[in-house]
Amino acid sequence: MNYRKASLSLPSVTLDDVRGAQKMLSGVARVTAMEGSRHLTQLVGAPVHFKCENLQRTGSFKLRGAYVRIAGLLPEERAAGVVAASAGNHAQGVALASSLLGVRSTVFMPKGAPLPKISATKDYGAEVRLHGHVVDETLAAAQEYAAETGAVFIHPFDHPDIIAGQGTVGLEILEQCPEARTIVVGIGGGGLAAGIAIAVKALRPDVRIVGVQAAGAAAYPPSLAAGRPVSIENPATMADGIKVGRPGDVPFGIIGDLVDEVRTVTEDELSTALLLCLERAKLVVEPAGASPVAALLSDPGSFEGPVVAVLSGGNVDPLLLQRILRHGMAAQGRYLAVRLRLTDRPGALATLLGVLSAVDANVLDVSHVRTDPRLGLTEAEVELHLETKGPAHCAEVGQALRDAGYTVIG
């Protein structure tokens, strides 16, 4: 779905702030690559480029804002140290930025945070404290720590310095693709989209900026409709990088003025987009980073090119990546799970596999249950995970099983 912008207050961050941040980040943040996508170019009917912030130091754009924010602290503030709360990307950005600036950092992370993200945050130099099971609990603990110790709380998106740092992505886009007509960027709290909008609209007001949220964690559409940030209850999405229940006050005003449109994408669209980035572009991208690609895939004809899609991060837990890829393959009809009953007799399973072989379905996994209270004395239940070739092939497989007399129950 698409949502139009609401006109709100003037931006509190200027182009000069973003340019100052760019000078500050010279030699710290990478000027990340701009890669073309032939597949999306064909779908959209105009050039499509990826701005690869998934290849940034720490694996996301977050280093930019964190470094600018911490570098701007007064000497006495630096001496008190900094504290942050994050499930991953902001944690690593704060940890590395603090280490580069010689500032002590403490990062609160949820107890269920992926081990690779916890390990990376420690390796970048932060003291990691695990607290709470959701980010809101972790955030409260970090703010309590700041109040008790005097450490400066580094907000992930709701601060002008953070937004100015993220805005350097927009300057790079215009330098690398000066002919761009549309920029598509994921939105969580809004820091990245707000920063890009400030930089781009000041220099190229004709460029259309489209924000993208996960449908299950889309706080901006109701907020824009209300004219103020509003909270949504229990945001739910695989895209933890944009899983934010309330827009930040500072980025909200900027996005309301400068971002032309906010769209939402489904979980199926996110997983399909991530799979495309991996297969076609050879880029590891986390679900939040794939959200602009999901928007392009969902309605390719609605974007004026050239288009730049910002791949905001690539920090995805390998176990989650495995599940997402399977989900994406299922959404494309390339993976099928079926459960069925058959007569429990010698050779029954081999006969079933023969039916599948005849329709060229590749069996990835078989679970064969013969003893269960739900089964009759002569019954067995089989769950099969199959590699298929698309929706039409899935339908063919199902029909072949039914024609062979099998009862498919799931």
Side-chain angles (χ1 to χ4, degrees):
M1 297 181 68
N2 307 339
Y3 301 86
R4 292 189 178 277
K5 68 173 184 175
S7 180
L8 299 171
S9 60
L10 293 174
S12 56
V13 183
T14 68
L15 175 62
D16 286 341
D17 294 327
V18 180
R19 283 175 166 160
Q22 187 176 46
K23 292 179 181 178
M24 188 179 296
L25 289 167
S26 178
V28 175
R30 294 172 181 155
V31 177
T32 51
M34 184 83 75
E35 299 285 346
S37 171
R38 286 193 296 270
H39 180 71
L40 286 175
T41 293
Q42 290 176 344
L43 288 177
V44 173
V48 175
H49 306 279
F50 293 151
K51 177 58 173 168
C52 299
E53 281 296 291
N54 59 311
L55 303 180
Q56 183 58 261
R57 296 179 69 178
T58 74
S60 86
F61 69 95
K62 290 289 190 177
L63 172 65
R64 298 173 184 263
Y67 188 91
V68 173
R69 173 77 173 101
I70 297 169
L73 296 178
L74 298 172
E76 57 269 27
E77 292 176 318
R78 291 196 190 194
V82 300
V83 61
S86 168
N89 288 349
H90 182 58
Q92 294 172 70
V94 168
L96 179 56
S98 299
S99 295
L100 293 173
L101 292 164
V103 177
R104 184 178 71 257
S105 64
T106 303
V107 175
F108 285 76
M109 303 182 75
K111 292 180 180 179
L115 292 178
K117 294 184 178 182
I118 295 172
S119 177
T121 303
K122 291 179 179 178
D123 289 345
Y124 287 128
E127 177 190 346
V128 173
R129 299 191 180 192
L130 301 180
H131 185 93
H133 296 282
V134 295
V135 174
D136 285 344
E137 295 173 352
T138 308
L139 182 64
Q143 291 172 325
E144 182 178 346
Y145 177 88
E148 292 175 352
T149 66
V152 178
F153 178 68
I154 307 299
H155 199 283
F157 50 80
D158 204 11
H159 192 279
D161 289 348
I162 295 285
I163 294 170
Q166 321 305 28
T168 59
V169 176
L171 293 180
E172 290 179 17
I173 288 173
L174 294 185
E175 291 163 1
Q176 294 169 309
C177 187
E179 69 278 13
R181 297 291 301 170
T182 305
I183 296 172
V184 191
V185 56
I187 298 181
L192 177 61
I196 289 175
I198 287 167
V200 171
K201 290 293 189 178
L203 296 170
R204 286 278 311 282
D206 59 305
V207 173
R208 184 172 181 81
I209 299 177
V210 178
V212 183
Q213 291 209 287
Y220 266 87
S223 297
L224 292 171
R228 58 180 175 80
V230 298
S231 299
I232 58 171
E233 294 185 4
N234 303 317
T237 175
M238 69 176 77
D240 59 349
I242 54 174
K243 185 180 175 181
V244 178
R246 182 187 184 279
D249 293 329
V250 180
F252 178 76
I254 297 167
I255 287 172
D257 278 334
L258 299 180
V259 171
D260 297 280
E261 179 185 358
V262 176
R263 301 188 177 199
T264 61
V265 293
T266 66
E267 300 297 284
D268 281 353
E269 289 165 345
L270 284 168
S271 57
T272 299
L274 188 148
L275 183 61
L276 181 143
C277 289
L278 188 62
E279 287 190 325
R280 298 297 184 97
K282 314 307 177 190
L283 291 168
V284 176
V285 181
E286 61 189 89
S291 59
V293 179
L296 290 169
L297 289 172
S298 68
D299 191 8
S302 65
F303 295 89
E304 181 183 1
V307 180
V308 176
V310 182
L311 308 183
S312 58
N315 292 318
V316 56
D317 178 56
L319 294 177
L320 175 62
L321 179 61
Q322 183 181 35
R323 295 198 299 271
I324 292 171
L325 291 178
R326 183 169 288 185
H327 187 88
M329 291 177 69
Q332 290 186 332
R334 296 166 55 189
Y335 177 88
L336 179 65
V338 294
R339 190 159 51 93
L340 47 83
R341 298 274 174 88
L342 66 159
T343 302
D344 186 16
R345 57 178 174 77
L349 182 58
T351 301
L352 169 62
L353 297 178
V355 172
L356 295 171
S357 177
V359 290
D360 204 24
N362 186 29
V363 178
L364 301 175
D365 188 39
V366 178
S367 175
H368 187 205
V369 178
R370 301 176 65 198
T371 55
D372 190 285
R374 296 175 295 120
L375 299 175
L377 290 175
T378 62
E379 288 183 321
E381 186 172 288
V382 176
E383 183 173 346
L384 299 143
H385 293 185
L386 309 171
E387 182 181 6
T388 48
K389 301 174 183 178
H393 190 212
C394 289
E396 181 186 357
V397 170
Q399 189 61 51
L401 290 171
R402 287 189 291 273
D403 290 345
Y406 294 105
T407 301
V408 179
I409 58 177

